[in-house]
């Protein structure tokens, strides 16, 4: 029933659990050299992938695109939500990102001379876009769970690592320059509130039970999608300016984290 409420906040709950383990995991990761970090990434990738394979095997949903399929088309939405929202399963995926961060931190140490250029960002991004297009056109049929674990996560991390390296080393990279623009920086600041708000606002526009009571109909069509998009961005901007950017909220958050951390 996670879809009835707000899937993003279910995910954030799982993410909170994963990040709470950082004080125990990061010291170990910090002691590793690059060779050990690469082995750790491999094992974490396997640990992250195995539950997805089990989910696809048990329900025979190897080709089901869950994100664009109705709940009735899925043999077990409960299992789907359990796999993608499980706090334990999120730990491996989050730690893969932590290890990737540590890998770029060690660039230039121990005689390391990692090469990077504009293709280092372009190739993984092209791979991600290619996968999306192949799935959208029906050329490739694969479960969202497998597409994310097998292709998206590794390529996205390669892209982020390359973007960091190109920025630090001053490599001429049009893609990094574009992503560093002021306009995209402003949109990036809204990414978190958009992530939290797009789900519940979408329920108001597209959930039949709610939309028919608010608007008298489900708000389908490109013009209504534009209204939905504008409402989401505007709401995110208000939350960012009035709540997330508030010093009082920042101080309260810091004090709360310090208190919780002291218990651990």
């Amino acid at each position: 029933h996670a879809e009835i409420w707000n899937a993003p906040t279910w995910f954030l709950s799982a993410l909170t659990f994963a990040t709470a383990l950082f004080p125990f995991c990061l010291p170990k990761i910090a002691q590793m050299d690059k060779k050990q970090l690469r082995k750790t990434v491999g094992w974490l990738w396997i640990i992250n992938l195995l539950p997805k394979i089990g989910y696809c095997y048990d329900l025979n949903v190897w080709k089901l695109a869950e994100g664009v399929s109705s709940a009735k088309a899925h043999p077990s939405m409960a299992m789907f939500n359990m796999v993608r929202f499980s706090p334990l399963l999120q730990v491996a995926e989050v730690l893969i990102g932590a290890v990737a961060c540590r890998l770029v931190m060690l660039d230039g140490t121990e005689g390391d001379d990692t090469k990077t250029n504009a293709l280092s960002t372009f190739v993984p991004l092209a791979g991600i876009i290619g996968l999306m297009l192949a799935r959208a056109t029906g050329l490739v049929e694969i479960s969202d769970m497998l597409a994310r674990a097998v292709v998206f996560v590794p390529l996205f991390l390669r892209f982020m690592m390359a973007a960091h390296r190109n920025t630090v080393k001053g490599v001429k990279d049009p893609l990094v320059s574009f992503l560093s623009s002021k306009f995209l920086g402003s949109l990036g600041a809204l990414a978190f509130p958009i992530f939290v708000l797009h789900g519940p606002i979408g329920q108001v526009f597209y959930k039949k039970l709610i939309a028919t009571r608010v608007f008298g109909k489900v708000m389908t069509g490109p013009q209504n999608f534009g209204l939905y998009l504008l409402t989401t961005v505007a709401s995110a901007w208000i939350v960012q300016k009035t709540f997330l950017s508030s010093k009082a909220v920042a101080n309260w958050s810091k004090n709360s984290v310090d208190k919780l951390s002291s218990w651990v």
Side-chain angles (χ1 to χ4, degrees), residues 81-104:
N81 285 329
M82 187 282 293
V83 172
R84 65 174 177 154
F85 294 139
S86 170
L88 290 175
L89 299 183
Q90 288 298 327
V91 173
E93 187 170 289
V94 171
L95 287 180
I96 290 174
V99 174
C101 290
R102 184 58 180 166
L103 276 169
V104 296

Side-chain angles (χ1 to χ4, degrees), residues 2-141:
E3 292 299 315
I4 297 177
W5 303 106
N6 187 2
T9 53
W10 280 82
F11 172 75
L12 288 174
S13 298
L15 183 62
T16 300
F17 174 82
T19 51
L21 298 181
F22 271 19
F24 307 98
C25 302
L26 292 186
K28 296 296 182 181
I29 293 174
Q31 296 172 6
M32 298 179 184
D33 57 28
K34 280 204 166 186
K35 183 177 180 180
Q36 293 170 326
L37 288 169
R38 292 188 180 99
K39 288 182 178 180
T40 301
V41 165
W43 283 110
L44 287 171
W45 182 78
I46 292 173
I47 293 170
N48 182 49
L49 177 61
L50 287 178
K52 277 77 171 179
I53 294 177
Y55 151 81
C56 291
Y57 176 80
D58 287 344
L59 300 179
N60 193 27
V61 289
W62 301 96
K63 296 182 178 182
L64 181 64
E66 292 91 345
V68 294
S69 301
S70 67
K72 294 180 180 179
H74 200 289
S76 177
M77 283 298 296
M79 180 62 71
F80 171 59
N81 285 329
M82 187 282 293
V83 172
R84 65 174 177 154
F85 294 139
S86 170
L88 290 175
L89 299 183
Q90 288 298 327
V91 173
E93 187 170 289
V94 171
L95 287 180
I96 290 174
V99 174
C101 290
R102 184 58 180 166
L103 276 169
V104 296
M105 289 173 66
L106 293 180
D107 284 353
T109 63
E110 303 173 0
D112 175 77
D113 186 25
T114 303
K115 303 296 183 182
T116 184
N117 53 48
L119 288 177
S120 301
T121 55
F122 175 78
V123 172
L125 183 59
I128 293 172
I129 295 174
L131 173 67
M132 295 171 61
L133 292 175
R135 297 187 69 206
T137 57
L139 186 62
V140 174
E141 294 182 341

